[in-house]
Structures are given as C-alpha cells and as structure tokens.
Amino acid sequence: MKLGARILKTGFAITVALYIADLIGIEAATYAGIAAAFAIQPNIYRSFQTMLEQIYANIFGVGIGAMVVFGLGNDPVVIGFAIIIVIALCMYFKMNENTIALAIIAVLAVMETTEMLLLHFAGVRFSALTLGILSAFMVNMLFLPPKYELRLFKSIDQITSDILQWLRISTRHLSDDPALRTEIDRIETEIRHIDHTYLLFSEERIYFRKTRMPKMRKLIIFRQMINTSKKSLATLYAFHQYDDKVENIPREFQNVLVDELDKIIYSHERLLLSAMGKIKKNPTKSIEEITDPNIPHLVETLIHVYEQDDKDRLSLLPLASRLMEYHKEILHLQRILNSYQRFHEHLDFNFKRKNRKILPYP
C-alpha cells in the first residue's frame, strides 16, 4: 500500500480542523473535519479556487437551509426540496462535485432538529464548515507542497527510456509480440498521467517576476518533451505493426532502417542528458553532425527495394512517415532547449535520478 502526499494531507487537514474547532469552542467540530476532507486539492492554485468556491457553496447551503427551515420547517420532504434548490444553484455557477456535496452537507447540517435558536445554530454550522475549508487550504500551502516539476521530468525521462529500449529491441526483431503490446498499453496510460501532471504544473502560479520567464520556458520545453515522447511511441507502434514486413525485406534496407533509427534514438537520449546538464555545453561536434538521420535517403532506399513490385511499393511508407515526424519533433526540442540553456544557463533540469540499466545493442 502506497501513501501519497494527498492522503497524508487529508488526514492532517482533518486533524488540524478538529483541533482548532475544539480549541475555539465550536460545537460542531465533526463538520469542520468533513469540510476539510472535501477541500484538499492536488496543487495550491486549485486549492485556492476550491476554497473560494466552497465558501460560496457553504453560504448557499447554510443560507437557503436556514430560510427554508424558518419558512417551511424541517420535514424530510422540505429538506429534499431545499437540497434540490442548492444543487441547481451550484450547477448554475458550474461548481464541481465535491463543492456540491459540501453544499448538501451544509443544508443537512442547518436543517437538522435542534433546540438552539436558528440563527445561532446556522452560524455555528457555517463557522465549522468554513473552518474546515480554511484548514485544508493552509495544509495544502504549508504541508508537503507538490513538486510537479521534479515529478514531471522524472516521469518523462523514465517513460522515454522505456520507449527507446523497446525501439532498439523491435528494430532487431527481438521483441515478444504479446509483451510489447502490453508495454505499449502501459506506456499510453503513463503518458496520460504525464499529461495530467503537466496540467497541474502549468496551473501553479508564479508570484515573482524573476522566475516567471524561466517557468514559462520550462513549460514549453516540458510540452515538447511530451510531444516528442508521444512521437517515439507512435514510431514504436509502427514498428510493431509492420514488423513482419520489415523482417522480410532485403537485409540492405533493414540495415539502413536500423542505422537511421539508432541516430534518432541517440539524438533523443542526448537531448534529455543535455537538459539535465550532463553533456558539455560546447561539444566538439554538433548533434546534427553526429546523428542527423537521412530520412529522404531512407525513403529512396525503400522505393528502390520495391521498384519491381508495384503492389507493395508503398506499404512501408507510413513507417518512414513516422520516423520523419519523430525526427521533426526532436529538432524542435533541440532548438527550444538550446534557447533555454542560452538564456538560463544556471537553471538546468539537473535532477537526481536512480541509475537504470540500459539494454546494450545486440
């Protein structure tokens, strides 16, 4: 069982809300804990938005509940009618499900039977729920703040390494078909998680002008890293799809295909290492000079292979097209990474990571 930061934050926020409620003498401390549980969010920006939204929902729930009790009583049918009104109002303002749930709790909290004066009772419930919301916001800000930049880079680095290893294996026809299919599905799921992490990272607000431009440039680089990884996965899928045809073509073309793909893979790996600051800023040879794939030559070789067979002449052109798209994304990543390193030389993506075993070339 793995305990994430959000789970720990939820427990801590409920504890803080209950302690503060007990300390200041709020009678309905349980409602403070419930509100804290609903208010925990994955980043500070969403936490602030949720805090405002839930305070409004709390006002709606307590206010409407108090008015309905005062006018119609607290019969179960009346309570259901009040909840319908609150839900419709929250949906009109496009509030999320957690906020609507908290508004419903606010209605139930106010409309339960009590011997206390209505206004005093509603004020106690409103204070308890607001205390829980504010406690969750403070915990989100101060306790285990998320490090999405580090998590994002490590996830991209890991998933890209997995893709490139499978590409090396697939081009040499060493991959097991069911295992590769399973890995492709897993990688697609991981990339969806990476997209979500990128969204959370992009939502983080920048409060200092000095760090605003580096953050914006990092967002562009991360977005391109993800796009490049997606193209590498598309290339892997193409090799998986056309594996039988590639294996049956002349050895000469197979060698050209493997050589060109190795150049692209090396370029991709080199850019990730460069982003981490593990490659010299001014190498003796440029990356294009060492590893620039000659895709037009690859396509010409492919056409030459099938020039006597019109039926299959263009059957592998989709594979060459995937390689061209992949290479185009790598060149774009190289340009924006070089630009970032030129303007922000002291801000490399220099993150520590676990050593991984890289499969050697067969």
Side-chain angles (χ1 to χ4, degrees):
M1 183 177 66
K2 184 178 180 181
L3 295 178
R6 191 171 180 181
I7 297 175
L8 296 175
K9 283 184 177 183
T10 302
F12 190 57
I14 293 172
T15 303
V16 170
L18 294 175
Y19 266 119
I20 295 177
D22 184 63
L23 184 64
I24 63 180
I26 294 180
E27 299 174 6
T30 303
Y31 289 105
I34 293 172
F38 279 104
I40 289 294
Q41 294 295 316
N43 62 20
I44 295 174
Y45 172 73
R46 288 193 181 184
S47 181
F48 179 74
Q49 294 292 99
T50 300
M51 180 189 69
L52 295 179
E53 191 175 276
Q54 290 187 343
I55 288 176
Y56 292 141
N58 192 14
I59 294 172
F60 295 157
V62 172
I64 291 174
M67 287 188 293
V68 172
V69 169
F70 184 77
L72 301 175
N74 60 354
D75 186 79
V77 175
V78 174
I79 294 174
F81 173 70
I83 288 175
I84 291 173
I85 294 175
V86 169
I87 292 175
L89 190 60
C90 290
M91 292 181 66
Y92 176 78
F93 287 104
K94 299 180 180 179
M95 296 181 178
N96 62 44
E97 292 181 0
N98 282 349
T99 303
I100 295 175
L102 185 63
I104 293 172
I105 292 172
V107 174
L108 295 173
V110 171
M111 298 189 71
E112 65 177 298
T113 303
T114 179
E115 298 296 330
M116 298 173 61
L117 293 174
L118 179 59
L119 291 180
H120 177 67
F121 184 68
V124 170
R125 294 296 190 262
F126 176 79
S127 300
L129 292 168
T130 303
L131 174 61
I133 296 168
L134 294 176
S135 298
F137 176 68
M138 295 304 297
V139 169
N140 253 344
M141 285 187 60
L142 303 176
F143 182 64
L144 296 176
K147 298 180 180 179
Y148 289 117
E149 181 179 340
L150 175 60
R151 185 190 305 178
L152 186 59
F153 187 85
K154 286 187 174 181
S155 298
I156 294 172
D157 182 31
Q158 181 63 59
I159 206 67
T160 301
S161 296
D162 292 344
I163 295 171
L164 298 185
Q165 286 182 3
W166 278 105
L167 268 175
R168 286 190 174 117
I169 294 174
S170 298
T171 54
R172 291 159 175 83
H173 314 294
L174 299 176
S175 60
D176 177 69
D177 188 76
L180 178 56
R181 181 66 260 181
T182 300
E183 278 297 292
I184 290 175
D185 292 339
R186 179 189 67 83
I187 290 169
E188 288 176 344
T189 301
E190 290 294 328
I191 288 180
R192 285 193 291 270
H193 289 318
I194 289 173
D195 283 333
H196 180 65
T197 304
Y198 175 82
L199 177 62
L200 295 175
F201 179 53
S202 66
E203 287 178 345
E204 291 183 343
R205 289 300 179 260
I206 307 168
Y207 302 101
F208 301 101
R209 183 177 299 180
K210 182 179 179 181
T211 58
R212 183 172 292 117
M213 187 57 68
K215 168 71 180 294
M216 293 174 65
R217 288 178 179 269
K218 281 184 179 181
L219 281 172
I220 294 172
I221 291 174
F222 276 130
R223 183 72 265 169
Q224 184 57 31
M225 283 181 174
I226 295 171
N227 289 339
T228 307
S229 296
K230 288 179 179 178
K231 291 300 181 182
S232 67
L233 178 61
T235 304
L236 175 60
Y237 183 78
F239 270 100
H240 171 62
Q241 186 177 9
Y242 295 103
D243 183 66
D244 292 339
K245 292 184 178 181
V246 173
E247 193 172 8
N248 292 325
I249 63 177
R251 189 67 185 176
E252 176 189 358
F253 176 69
Q254 290 189 42
N255 292 335
V256 173
L257 187 62
V258 170
D259 289 343
E260 297 303 318
L261 184 67
D262 284 345
K263 291 178 182 179
I264 296 178
I265 290 174
Y266 180 76
S267 300
H268 200 167
E269 289 176 332
R270 184 186 177 95
L271 288 174
L272 290 178
L273 292 172
S274 177
M276 290 186 289
K278 294 187 176 181
I279 287 183
K280 294 179 180 179
K281 300 293 183 186
N282 298 308
T284 54
K285 294 183 179 180
S286 68
I287 189 170
E288 296 93 342
E289 203 175 327
I290 300 172
T291 63
D292 189 23
N294 192 346
I295 300 299
H297 173 66
L298 177 64
V299 175
E300 289 176 6
T301 305
L302 174 61
I303 294 175
H304 178 71
V305 168
Y306 288 116
E307 62 183 1
Q308 302 300 327
D309 189 348
D310 290 336
K311 180 181 178 181
D312 293 329
R313 186 177 184 182
L314 304 178
S315 60
L316 289 179
L317 279 183
L319 181 59
S321 175
R322 290 284 192 277
L323 287 170
M324 294 177 68
E325 292 173 0
Y326 182 21
H327 183 231
K328 179 182 177 182
E329 295 295 335
I330 286 176
L331 292 179
H332 184 48
L333 176 59
Q334 179 190 348
R335 284 193 295 270
I336 61 177
L337 184 58
N338 288 343
S339 174
Y340 178 86
Q341 291 174 336
R342 184 167 61 252
F343 288 101
H344 308 286
E345 186 175 356
H346 60 293
L347 294 175
D348 283 327
F349 300 82
N350 191 15
F351 301 130
K352 294 181 180 179
R353 58 176 181 166
K354 295 180 180 179
N355 292 328
R356 298 187 307 274
K357 293 182 179 179
I358 304 298
L359 295 177
Y361 289 96

